[in-house]
Amino acid sequence: DLALESNPSDHPRASTIFLSKSQTDVREKRKSNHINHISPGQLTKKYSSCSTIFIDDSTVSQPNLRSTIKCVTLAIFYHIKNRDSDRSLDIFDEKSHPLTREEVPDDYYKHDPDHKHIYRFVRTLFSAAQLTAECAIVTLVYLERLLTYAEIDICPSNWKRIVLGAILLASKVWDDQAVWNVDYCQILKDITVEDMNEMERHFLELLQFNINVPASVYAKYYFDLRSLADDNNLSFLLEPLSKERAQKLEAISRLCEDKYKDLSKAAMRRSFSADNLVGIRRSNAILS
């Protein structure tokens, strides 16, 4: 039970690992800005006014795809940058199992990828396979579950294959139209189906075949990703409320209002009928 509660990918009360790893950099950045009297800069966040209303199109049930991928890849970046060690497994090593025909440099394990590099890799996969934003969040859950269960670190030598394995598994579990392993071979043309199958099998075994993601855990990761975005000035997209969108929201509001009114009337009728029944029983008891 203690192990379960300490694992954020299984228990909703445990803190996500990526948010904890990012806090060191966030505190140092704030401290540096304070010492050097650096202003936060021009505000880029849009605010609603009397003339214009901006809405955040990202919700826990329908996250914005681009913003979510940016946040997930930023979480992966902090995992790599602030890793505890370089523990890994051969199945995820890019030197042993290259994703492309290009020769992997001998010092490949020394250079941490930047956020843009990670984002381009993940964005390419999601765009080509037409995956959803929810799948990106589940990918991060599986990634942290793997690191915890297998007691390994995500580092320059293995990050691409670990991320690919997490995406592969998340797309099969989450999306209704799953992407087959051979489809990923069409995206990454130099990888074989046999390699994909072996990596997926190892990934599942290391997860102890625990692919369940409770709604509470999913929601925690979503909101922690939003906190990560706020800490790094990576705001979710705000769009002006258009006339068509306003009319749609108004129609949905009226529909919900009518539904609750009907439920309220039905509840009142049931209460009235119950009161009448009690009254009839009392009258019969007095007469008898």
Side-chain angles (χ1 to χ4, degrees), residues 57-70:
D57 205 30
S58 181
T59 62
V60 67
S61 59
Q62 291 184 331
N64 179 274
L65 177 61
R66 183 182 176 186
S67 299
T68 303
I69 292 178
K70 279 189 175 182

Side-chain angles (χ1 to χ4, degrees), residues 6-230:
S6 63
N7 187 352
S9 65
D10 287 320
H11 201 281
R13 289 199 297 268
S15 301
T16 52
I17 304 173
F18 71 84
L19 196 60
S20 301
K21 287 186 177 293
S22 70
Q23 292 308 301
T24 302
D25 287 43
V26 171
R27 286 192 294 267
E28 289 180 356
K29 184 178 179 181
R30 290 174 179 170
K31 183 179 179 180
S32 176
N33 290 343
H34 177 73
I35 293 174
N36 298 315
H37 304 287
I38 299 175
S39 64
Q42 185 178 0
L43 292 176
T44 57
K45 188 174 181 179
K46 299 177 180 178
Y47 293 92
S48 300
S49 63
C50 296
S51 58
T52 308
I53 298 177
F54 292 99
I55 57 172
D56 185 345
D57 205 30
S58 181
T59 62
V60 67
S61 59
Q62 291 184 331
N64 179 274
L65 177 61
R66 183 182 176 186
S67 299
T68 303
I69 292 178
K70 279 189 175 182
C71 292
V72 168
T73 52
L74 185 61
I76 296 171
F77 167 78
Y78 278 120
H79 261 291
I80 299 173
K81 182 181 179 182
N82 297 326
R83 62 188 181 276
D84 298 325
S85 183
D86 288 308
R87 299 170 299 176
S88 187
L89 296 170
D90 181 71
I91 188 62
F92 299 122
D93 190 278
E94 199 172 343
K95 187 78 170 178
S96 304
H97 303 273
L99 297 178
T100 65
R101 293 181 182 177
E102 296 180 6
E103 185 177 355
V104 180
D106 292 335
D107 61 345
Y108 70 108
Y109 59 90
K110 295 181 180 179
H111 305 291
D112 292 356
D114 58 20
H115 179 215
K116 290 183 179 179
H117 188 187
I118 302 171
Y119 173 77
R120 284 195 297 268
F121 178 76
V122 175
R123 179 67 181 176
T124 299
L125 291 176
F126 269 71
S127 178
Q130 297 182 347
L131 302 178
T132 62
E134 296 92 336
C135 184
I137 297 174
V138 176
T139 294
L140 185 58
V141 175
Y142 287 156
L143 187 147
E144 292 208 339
R145 186 172 293 174
L146 174 76
L147 301 183
T148 306
Y149 280 29
E151 297 182 347
I152 61 175
D153 302 282
I154 184 167
C155 50
S157 63
N158 63 17
W159 74 268
K160 283 186 178 179
R161 289 182 62 86
I162 287 180
V163 170
L164 176 60
I167 292 174
L168 172 65
L169 191 57
S171 65
K172 289 186 175 183
V173 174
W174 187 265
D175 283 352
D176 293 332
Q177 296 179 346
V179 183
W180 296 90
N181 291 6
V182 69
D183 296 325
Y184 285 99
C185 295
Q186 298 297 323
I187 303 171
L188 302 168
K189 299 185 182 298
D190 296 328
I191 192 171
T192 64
V193 179
E194 292 76 17
D195 185 16
M196 292 286 291
N197 292 342
E198 183 183 5
M199 182 173 63
E200 181 186 13
R201 183 172 62 253
H202 276 79
F203 207 108
L204 281 168
E205 289 175 353
L206 292 169
L207 291 186
Q208 302 172 23
F209 296 91
N210 178 15
I211 57 175
N212 178 48
V213 179
S216 55
V217 170
Y218 172 89
K220 176 187 65 178
Y221 272 79
Y222 170 80
F223 287 111
D224 278 6
L225 284 170
R226 293 200 65 124
S227 298
L228 181 70
D230 290 338

